[in-house]
Amino acid sequence: MHPPAIAADGRLAPRRPLGQTGGMKRFESTDTYVATDDLRVAVNAAVRLRRPLLVKGEPGTGKTVLAHEIAQSLGAPLIEWTVKSTTRAAQGLYEYDAVARLRDGQLGDPRVNDIANYIRRGKLWEAFVHPTPPVLLIDEIDKADLEFPNDLLHELDRMEFHVYETGETVRAAERPIVVVTSNNEKDLPDAFLRRCFFHYIRFPDRDTMRAIVDVHFPGIQTLLVSRALDIFYQVREVQGLKKKPSTSELIDWLKLLLHEDMPLDILQSRDPAKAIPPLHGALLKNEQDVTLFERRAFMARRERG
């Protein structure tokens, strides 16, 4: 028999069948986020199955923002766990601060008599005992050690873990919605992948990108956007580019074009001798790519004579 679950206030929480979704709303696009049909299907399938949603895609395609928008769309709280190269899976459960307890013991602090005073809850613990099912974002899981995903298999499967120092079992009364993002820096273990619902966010096509721009810049001039998108996608197609500009960089570039009141004739110029876009620092993020465009412009001028 399982021990009772522990609620946020320390009292016993009623048990619900894990995986139950009740009357939860469906995820749709929001006022600030354009979700494609296949993305909406993936999110709602993961919510229905209560499987972790594993999201991959180019940097800048909105993987992290997606968790924020899911929480907003479903009216759920958001708990964020940003993974780093030094992050251990156990930190998502809890950490026992033995050093602080030793120090307090030397100072005669009565708090040392209760070891629970030195247990620091991790993000999974917060998600498991939250009064309402939250959205738990495990961001950039591929940055951690290769064993990191495997070390979370039991907790994500059974939605419970044991706190050895206090002898208690922390169990989710209802599964949180788990969103896991990856930039594909490392391959994830097969055992972890089997437990996830997978979705790859493809880079937005022109129509989708136009809709994204309209969300950020309502009423923006159609011709300006059309020419800016021409240049943006041309830049992305240049062979040898080390880092292709992303959606977020397009938004920054448009913001600068509007702020600087850039004349349309500059954007409309197709002169290959001026191959570097205006305010290119918003689009090109390293010296190799800037040099590549400068070389292309030089070669065009040379061929023209």
Side-chain angles (χ1 to χ4, degrees), residues 81-97:
W81 184 14
T82 301
V83 177
K84 301 178 181 179
S85 60
T86 56
T87 303
R88 295 176 293 106
Q91 292 173 313
L93 308 179
Y94 69 92
E95 291 185 279
Y96 168 50
D97 194 345

Side-chain angles (χ1 to χ4, degrees), residues 47-107:
V47 170
R48 176 59 57 184
L49 294 174
R50 278 300 201 265
R51 292 270 188 183
L53 174 63
L54 174 60
V55 185
K56 293 185 179 182
E58 281 186 38
T61 50
K63 299 185 297 295
T64 300
V65 176
L66 174 61
H68 294 253
E69 299 300 328
I70 292 173
Q72 178 182 332
S73 177
L74 302 182
L78 176 68
I79 296 175
E80 298 182 67
W81 184 14
T82 301
V83 177
K84 301 178 181 179
S85 60
T86 56
T87 303
R88 295 176 293 106
Q91 292 173 313
L93 308 179
Y94 69 92
E95 291 185 279
Y96 168 50
D97 194 345
V99 174
R101 192 181 187 202
L102 175 62
R103 183 187 63 243
D104 288 348
Q106 293 171 338
L107 295 175

Side-chain angles (χ1 to χ4, degrees), residues 156-279:
L156 292 178
D157 256 353
R158 302 191 63 181
M159 288 290 157
E160 67 178 36
F161 62 90
H162 188 70
V163 184
Y164 295 99
E165 289 78 4
T166 62
E168 63 185 307
T169 295
V170 177
R171 183 179 302 114
E174 188 171 346
R175 286 182 181 270
I177 299 167
V178 181
V179 178
V180 183
T181 71
S182 169
N183 287 323
N184 253 351
E185 292 182 9
K186 299 188 187 81
D187 290 334
L188 299 176
D190 288 344
F192 181 80
L193 295 175
R194 284 197 299 270
R195 289 161 170 82
C196 296
F197 192 97
F198 172 75
H199 182 74
Y200 183 86
I201 299 182
R202 293 179 174 83
F203 196 82
D205 59 23
R206 191 182 179 98
D207 290 340
T208 303
M209 190 65 83
R210 176 63 208 239
I212 293 171
V213 170
D214 288 342
V215 164
H216 287 271
F217 304 101
I220 189 172
Q221 186 178 354
T222 302
L223 186 57
L224 170 64
V225 174
S226 178
R227 185 58 193 127
L229 289 179
D230 287 343
I231 295 174
F232 175 74
Y233 282 104
Q234 287 168 8
V235 169
R236 283 184 54 85
E237 291 170 3
V238 169
Q239 295 295 318
L241 204 62
K242 184 175 181 180
K243 183 191 179 304
K244 295 181 179 181
S246 67
T247 305
S248 60
E249 286 151 352
L250 171 64
I251 298 303
D252 286 345
W253 188 50
L254 281 171
K255 192 180 299 181
L256 285 174
L257 293 177
L258 291 171
H259 183 267
E260 297 295 330
D261 198 19
M262 189 66 61
L264 276 177
D265 57 347
I266 294 180
L267 295 180
Q268 290 171 334
S269 172
R270 293 181 179 270
D271 185 352
K274 299 178 181 178
I276 299 183
L279 302 170

